[in-house]
């Protein structure tokens, strides 16, 4: 019934299950909400790899954590976290191949080199951000429609989706007029219908103007995805600096020893600090920019039978009874 508060049990494929740890750190989905993990997982996978973005680091991360899964056999949240980072290593390897980065050494890229074409990477980051925000708005529209609130989806989500889809048309020769027309229609719809529950026309118009101010929020959300650009470049730059420092010590036996030490400790440090940054910032993009568009949390996990980790007590031999004569 509407007055009940049932617990939440998630059912996802094995590749999606590790990403539940990201959602659970934010809030367990409400029973009457929607499980975002299947739609969130591809974005998280892509964003993590973009921010570490070195094929060599991806190989080390994926193989190291895969070995940890097999040797340590962790369970629960720890297993999901290690699996999540292992998948992040796979994504890092793929993006490193696309960018041509191998332990800070630039090889011919399959796609493009971010350090040589930073504007291309920045545009890619903004485009991926706009796509994720559109998906978030689409989920909210679906939730409204499934609950019988069709007009809420029509007037509250569709105009913003149309604006985000129309803005790129300004960059296409010959389509700028179409883009302007679509943006104008969307702005008019928001202005007149955002405050549709108010009967007074001027109060409705005031509410519409307040809703139009959200345009700053949407575009600031898209700008937040520039962190993909910043962390992706930082990984390659720091790795290159480590290689340069190490190469300066070559030429003698002692110098070779210090060179190897700098390479090992420098790259290990770079992997650790960038993996931490990628985990935190990829999670933040989900929590603020994506979940903020539709997510309903506040649920509680369905766990009727917790795992018992206590060992069975060993049987103790009892002394035989003694008959007294």
């Amino acid at each position: 019934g509407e007055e009940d508060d049932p617990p939440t049990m998630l059912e996802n494929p094995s590749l999606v299950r590790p990403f539940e740890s990201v959602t659970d750190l934010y809030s367990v989905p409400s029973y009457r909400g929607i499980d975002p993990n299947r739609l969130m997982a591809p974005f998280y996978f892509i964003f993590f790899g973009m921010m570490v973005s070195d094929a060599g680091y991806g190989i080390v991360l994926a193989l190291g954590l895969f070995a940890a899964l097999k040797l340590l056999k962790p369970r629960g949240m720890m297993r999901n976290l290690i699996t999540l980072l292992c998948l992040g290593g796979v994504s890092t390897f793929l993006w490193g191949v696309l960018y041509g980065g191998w332990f800070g050494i630039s090889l011919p890229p399959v796609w493009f080199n971010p350090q040589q074409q930073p504007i291309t990477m920045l545009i890619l980051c903004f485009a991926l951000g706009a796509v994720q925000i559109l998906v978030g708005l689409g989920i909210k529209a679906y939730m409204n429609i499934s609950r019988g609130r069709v007009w809420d989806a029509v007037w509250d989500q569709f105009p913003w989706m149309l604006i985000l889809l129309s803005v790129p048309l300004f960059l296409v020769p010959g389509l700028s007029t179409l883009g302007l027309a679509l943006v104008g229609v969307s702005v008019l719809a928001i202005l007149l219908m955002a405050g549709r529950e108010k009967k007074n026309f001027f109060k409705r118009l005031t509410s519409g103007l307040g809703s139009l101010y959200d345009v700053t929020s949407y575009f600031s959300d898209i700008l937040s995805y520039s962190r993909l650009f910043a962390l992706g470049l930082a990984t390659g730059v720091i790795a290159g600096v480590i290689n340069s420092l190490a190469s300066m010590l070559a030429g003698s036996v002692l110098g070779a020893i210090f060179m190897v030490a700098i390479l090992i400790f420098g790259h290990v440090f770079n992997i650790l600090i960038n993996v931490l940054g990628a985990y935190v910032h990829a999670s933040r993009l989900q929590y603020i920019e994506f979940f903020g568009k539709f997510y309903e949390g506040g649920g509680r996990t369905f766990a009727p039978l917790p795992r018992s980790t206590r060992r069975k007590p060993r049987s103790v031999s009892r002394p035989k009874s003694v008959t007294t004569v």
Side-chain angles (χ1 to χ4, degrees):
E2 291 295 330
E3 71 282 0
D4 293 328
D5 181 27
T8 300
M9 182 174 67
L10 303 179
E11 292 184 3
N12 288 303
S14 57
L15 284 177
V16 176
R17 242 174 263 136
F19 296 90
E20 293 177 3
S21 61
V22 177
T23 302
D24 290 344
L25 284 175
Y26 183 75
S27 178
V28 176
S30 169
Y31 173 79
R32 293 183 173 82
I34 190 170
D35 179 8
N37 289 293
R38 297 193 187 204
L39 295 170
M40 180 268 289
F43 288 107
Y44 196 100
F45 179 81
I46 292 171
F47 295 161
F48 189 101
M50 289 183 72
M51 284 188 276
V52 185
S53 67
D54 186 285
Y57 289 179
I59 293 173
V60 172
L61 189 62
L63 293 180
L65 293 175
F66 181 77
L69 286 173
K70 293 299 181 182
L71 296 176
L72 302 179
K73 300 186 185 302
R75 295 181 178 181
M77 175 68 80
M78 182 57 66
R79 180 176 184 83
N80 284 341
L81 179 59
I82 294 177
T83 307
L84 172 70
L85 296 178
C86 183
L87 291 173
V90 175
S91 176
T92 299
F93 169 74
L94 295 176
W95 281 103
V97 171
L98 292 175
Y99 291 161
W102 295 81
F103 293 106
I105 301 172
S106 296
L107 298 179
V110 173
W111 192 1
F112 67 92
N113 188 325
Q115 297 184 32
Q116 297 175 0
Q117 298 174 269
I119 301 301
T120 302
M121 185 178 180
L122 190 60
I123 293 173
L124 174 63
C125 296
F126 290 156
L128 289 172
V131 170
Q132 187 174 36
I133 291 172
L134 283 169
V135 171
L137 289 171
I139 296 173
K140 184 61 177 179
Y142 167 79
M143 293 170 66
N144 282 332
I145 293 172
S146 63
R147 293 169 179 175
R149 300 201 292 263
V150 178
W151 291 114
D152 287 350
V154 171
W155 301 121
D156 293 339
Q157 281 81 55
F158 289 167
W160 288 112
M161 295 173 69
L162 191 58
I163 289 175
L164 292 176
L165 290 170
S166 302
V167 169
L169 296 179
F170 289 100
L171 305 176
V172 181
L175 294 180
S176 58
T177 303
L178 176 61
L180 183 61
L182 293 176
V183 169
V185 170
S186 302
V187 168
L188 188 63
I190 296 171
L191 187 63
L192 296 178
M193 302 306 296
R196 57 191 176 278
E197 72 281 355
K198 296 180 173 61
K199 296 182 179 180
N200 186 288
F201 176 77
F202 292 102
K203 290 184 178 180
R204 175 184 291 193
L205 198 63
T206 302
S207 297
L209 288 171
S211 297
L212 278 177
Y213 187 72
D214 289 343
V215 69
T216 59
S217 175
Y218 281 100
F219 284 102
S220 66
D221 287 346
I222 294 176
L223 289 174
S224 294
Y225 288 84
S226 60
R227 69 189 65 240
L228 302 175
F229 166 77
L231 270 72
L233 284 184
T235 304
V237 170
I238 294 174
V241 170
I242 293 170
N243 292 338
S244 298
L245 290 175
S247 64
M248 294 170 60
L249 298 175
S252 64
V253 176
L254 184 61
I257 294 174
F258 280 107
M259 179 185 72
V260 173
I262 289 176
L263 287 174
I264 293 175
F265 289 105
H267 284 297
V268 168
F269 172 78
N270 199 25
I271 292 173
L272 293 176
I273 198 68
N274 281 285
V275 166
L276 177 62
Y279 176 78
V280 170
H281 287 285
S283 299
R284 183 206 175 279
L285 288 173
Q286 312 312 313
Y287 298 156
I288 307 300
E289 279 70 32
F290 188 49
F291 286 177
K293 303 297 179 291
F294 68 91
Y295 190 69
E296 295 177 358
R300 52 193 177 91
T301 303
F302 177 70
L305 299 174
R307 183 185 298 274
S308 175
T309 58
R310 293 195 304 171
R311 299 176 61 183
K312 294 181 179 179
R314 293 185 298 175
S315 59
V316 180
S317 60
R318 296 181 179 181
K320 295 180 179 179
S321 58
V322 179
T323 304
T324 305
V325 178

